Amino acid sequence: MTTWQLPDPAATRELGRRLAGVLRAGDRVVLTGDLGAGKTTLTQGIGAGLGVRGQVASPTFIIARAHPNPGSGPDLVHVDAYRLESLAEVDDLDLDSSLEDSVTVVEWGSGLVEGLAEDRLEVRIARPRGGLDTAEEVADAGIRTVTVAAHGPRWEGVDLAAVLGTPAEER
């Protein structure tokens, strides 16, 4: 598990863009975090890094949105599992048909989609909320703490810190 401190949404997008540099067709990324933490912002960076078409926006109401790659890279499938309550509902999305050809990013997927793949990245994004008493705390409120945990043989030997930059615990 590796952790980064990001000062603002632009840095969150940039981390996503750098993450896209190591992602390949068939990869799954599970995003967890409160509303407004930066899950869609990170996915926008992934989409930019992959070079996909279309505006990457939260797919909350349509649940899944595919972004084709006009080049030779993988497509992006962006899923919002917030309103899904079971693995059966995830299965109903028929993601299996595109999983091997796309990078699949699932917001709110923790506890629902881990069974789809042994190989995955789990990304937790935290942002401070409430209880801000000092000017410094208010200034730091935009900071996001991003923790990435790699699971499965696909990620063995992949140095995420080298790809994504120096983690917070090493600064």
Side-chain angles (χ1 to χ4, degrees):
M1 206 170 350
T2 311
T3 301
W4 288 264
Q5 297 289 326
L6 306 176
D8 54 34
T12 304
R13 269 188 213 87
E14 177 59 21
L15 185 74
R17 189 193 63 70
R18 285 184 274 157
L19 180 59
V22 73
L23 295 173
R24 61 186 186 209
D27 284 343
R28 281 81 164 172
V29 181
V30 180
L31 303 180
T32 304
D34 292 335
L35 285 170
K39 297 178 297 298
T40 298
T41 302
L42 184 77
T43 306
Q44 289 168 343
I46 292 171
L50 292 174
V52 300
R53 277 188 295 165
Q55 177 186 1
V56 176
S58 179
T60 300
F61 297 104
I62 61 168
I63 301 179
R65 177 178 283 140
H67 297 276
N69 192 320
S72 60
D75 296 340
L76 171 66
V77 176
H78 185 195
V79 179
D80 187 324
Y82 183 75
R83 295 184 299 150
L84 302 179
E85 296 179 9
S86 68
L87 186 55
E89 288 182 325
V90 173
D91 283 343
D92 289 344
L93 295 176
D94 196 27
L95 293 176
D96 292 343
S97 63
S98 61
L99 284 176
E100 295 309 316
D101 300 325
S102 305
V103 169
T104 303
V105 176
V106 183
E107 296 187 27
W108 302 100
S110 182
L112 283 175
V113 299
E114 291 86 354
L116 291 176
E118 175 185 10
D119 296 314
R120 66 189 179 282
L121 291 179
E122 292 181 3
V123 180
R124 178 171 299 280
I125 306 173
R127 183 175 176 194
R129 299 273 185 211
L132 304 176
D133 297 324
T134 68
E136 182 177 273
E137 288 173 330
V138 171
D140 289 342
I143 292 177
R144 284 141 173 90
T145 301
V146 178
T147 303
V148 179
H151 298 274
R154 152 71 173 103
W155 297 103
E156 289 176 12
V158 175
D159 185 356
L160 289 173
V163 173
L164 302 177
T166 305
E169 64 264 16
E170 294 179 15
R171 290 187 186 156

